[in-house]
Amino acid sequence: MLTTQQLKTQLGTLVGFQTLTGNVSENAKALDYVESLLSPQAKVKRIKNKTTEILLASTNDSLTPEIGYMVHMDVVSASPALFSLKEKNGKLYGRGVSDMKFSIPLGVSILNELIETHSPISFTLAITTDEEVGGYDGGAYLAETIGWKPKALIVPDGGDNMQFVNKAKGVCQLIVTASGRSAHASRPWEGKNALVPIAKLITELEKRYGGNNQTEGWKTTLNFGKLIGGISINQVCDKAVLNMDFRYPETDSVQRITDEVSQLVKAIEPTMKITKGLTGLPTYTDVNLPVVKRFLNCIGDKVGKPIIVAPTYGASDARHFAKDNIPVLMIKPMGGDIHCETEWLDIQSTLDLYQGLRTFLQLSKEKVMI
């Protein structure tokens, strides 16, 4: 069973690895360390896909375990000081403590205990190394190419402060490119300004989605993330590129959003080109499923109060499994300031989650009720 000191020691070692996405050697070293913590009886596979490496450690070799536990090792960049774990007033500080290296000692301990107690439940710990850039070579590769499909999937990558995430929005990033003809700013009639149709498109989309952006809610939102156009102030712009990021609920779709933007482009300036950037499905988990009810009860008993159910607005690797309708069990301990210099994690809350997960898996010994 994982002790407080073991949690701090293992997490401190993991934080010390500068596992930035794409740092192949550092991520490999971190996975080597995880492998050294595993029971000798664990079934371990290391999968390499482009610059991403995945570690699968399980009680058996099944691609359809009863319970999957998926986390990521990679982190975003930070100052050197953040790659050294610090403790103050019951909290741990460092890059990745909350997003999401805390989850690795928990998953390792649970897997080892299941093996040591000869539990009949099939359990797989999956660690990816590219979640921070979309997870397409990690989580998506597991789901679509490897065919890893657990009956229920624990993903402690959302639901800060012990809130259960029942749904998360999907992502639809679109890139619109407008072409024009350059000319001197004193003679604009001799050119064609590519910024003008882009500006018209922004204006029309802002009319449609601007209201959704003003308050928290479960409607499709739109962020104009980047606009590039022009070289000099006294030159008519001959090329402009607009990058947009839509976040949509389960009632919307990438196809509908793309069709809407395409129709607007056709009406404003048919020569504009649309390409897709990153896309991802929304996730939805029915809280009335037996496995979800049991999960919530087990975690709630350890926390000492009912677990709040709430949506999240960010995306995770869980979205790569959305089309398979796998129940996603997503919750995190108290922590925050992810991707910031003050990223933190509450020690006791993390241990409470760990104990809740242990109870859940003990109750799941005979059969996982989906």
Side-chain angles (χ1 to χ4, degrees):
M1 187 168 69
L2 186 70
T3 66
T4 303
Q5 188 55 51
Q6 286 173 332
L7 171 65
K8 291 191 287 187
T9 299
Q10 293 177 20
L11 186 51
T13 302
L14 289 167
V15 168
F17 292 107
Q18 297 189 27
T19 54
L20 304 182
T21 312
N23 189 336
V24 178
S25 62
E26 197 74 355
N27 274 287
K29 290 176 185 177
L31 294 179
D32 288 342
Y33 172 68
V34 172
E35 193 168 348
S36 75
L37 300 173
L38 295 169
S39 165
Q41 282 74 51
K43 309 298 182 183
V44 180
K45 290 182 180 179
R46 299 277 287 267
I47 301 167
K48 293 184 179 180
N49 180 35
K50 299 178 184 177
T51 60
T52 295
E53 186 168 8
I54 306 163
L55 184 148
L56 292 178
S58 57
T59 57
N60 55 35
D61 285 327
S62 174
L63 288 175
T64 57
E66 292 174 278
I67 300 290
Y69 183 93
M70 185 174 65
V71 303
H72 65 87
M73 181 69 78
D74 60 315
V75 298
V76 298
S77 61
S79 61
L82 262 70
F83 292 99
S84 177
L85 190 71
K86 295 178 176 59
E87 180 180 355
K88 184 179 180 180
N89 298 328
K91 296 179 180 178
L92 298 174
Y93 295 84
R95 175 55 77 238
V97 291
S98 181
D99 185 24
M100 61 174 308
K101 290 183 176 180
F102 80 88
S103 59
I104 296 173
L106 275 59
V108 168
S109 181
I110 288 168
L111 173 60
N112 287 346
E113 184 173 357
L114 290 172
I115 292 173
E116 290 164 6
T117 59
H118 304 287
S119 172
I121 188 171
S122 56
F123 176 92
T124 300
L125 165 65
I127 305 177
T128 65
T129 56
D130 71 333
E131 191 275 345
E132 296 294 357
V133 293
Y136 292 96
D137 295 328
Y141 187 74
L142 278 177
E144 298 167 10
T145 302
I146 301 299
W148 186 63
K149 300 186 187 304
K151 294 179 181 177
L153 182 61
I154 300 172
V155 185
D157 197 17
D160 287 317
N161 304 324
M162 290 293 198
Q163 293 190 13
F164 181 83
V165 175
N166 65 328
K167 55 184 179 179
K169 286 187 175 182
V171 182
C172 176
Q173 295 181 349
L174 298 179
I175 303 159
V176 177
T177 303
S179 297
R181 185 172 62 256
S182 63
H184 195 277
S186 65
R187 304 177 69 81
W189 54 85
E190 293 182 353
K192 181 180 179 183
N193 198 317
L195 285 168
V196 173
I198 292 287
K200 290 180 180 178
L201 179 63
I202 291 174
T203 299
E204 185 56 41
L205 287 170
E206 178 64 16
K207 290 178 183 177
R208 301 186 183 197
Y209 292 95
N212 296 354
N213 294 343
Q214 299 306 308
T215 57
E216 182 176 337
W218 206 244
K219 296 180 179 179
T220 300
T221 58
L222 166 60
N223 179 59
F224 301 107
K226 185 165 64 173
L227 175 59
I228 302 173
I231 298 172
S232 174
I233 193 171
N234 64 345
Q235 182 183 54
V236 175
C237 173
D238 65 350
K239 183 178 180 181
V241 181
L242 173 64
N243 289 256
M244 299 180 289
D245 188 313
F246 292 84
R247 300 299 170 115
Y248 67 95
E250 68 280 1
T251 53
D252 206 346
S253 69
V254 169
Q255 188 63 54
R256 190 211 63 80
I257 293 168
T258 305
D259 288 345
E260 179 184 36
V261 175
S262 297
Q263 290 169 7
L264 285 173
V265 163
K266 185 177 180 180
I268 294 169
E269 175 52 73
T271 62
M272 287 195 290
K273 307 294 184 183
I274 301 175
T275 56
K276 288 181 183 177
L278 298 179
T279 62
L281 293 171
T283 61
Y284 174 78
T285 298
D286 185 354
V287 296
N288 293 311
L289 290 172
V291 67
V292 179
K293 287 183 176 180
R294 187 163 66 245
F295 183 83
L296 292 174
N297 288 336
C298 291
I299 304 298
D301 287 345
K302 294 302 177 182
V303 176
K305 60 181 180 180
I307 299 299
I308 295 173
V309 177
T312 187
Y313 302 100
S316 75
D317 275 346
R319 72 187 189 281
H320 299 304
F321 297 82
K323 65 180 183 299
D324 297 314
N325 295 315
I326 297 171
V328 175
L329 309 176
M330 183 177 290
I331 195 169
K332 284 180 66 176
M334 293 178 64
D337 296 346
I338 64 171
H339 296 190
C340 300
E341 294 292 297
T342 52
E343 183 175 353
W344 63 277
L345 176 79
D346 184 86
I347 297 172
Q348 187 56 55
S349 179
T350 303
L351 292 170
D352 288 343
L353 175 59
Y354 166 66
Q355 292 295 345
L357 291 172
R358 288 183 69 240
T359 302
F360 168 69
L361 287 162
Q362 289 167 3
L363 292 177
S364 300
K365 280 184 179 180
E366 294 184 1
K367 186 178 181 181
V368 176
M369 301 293 293
I370 304 301

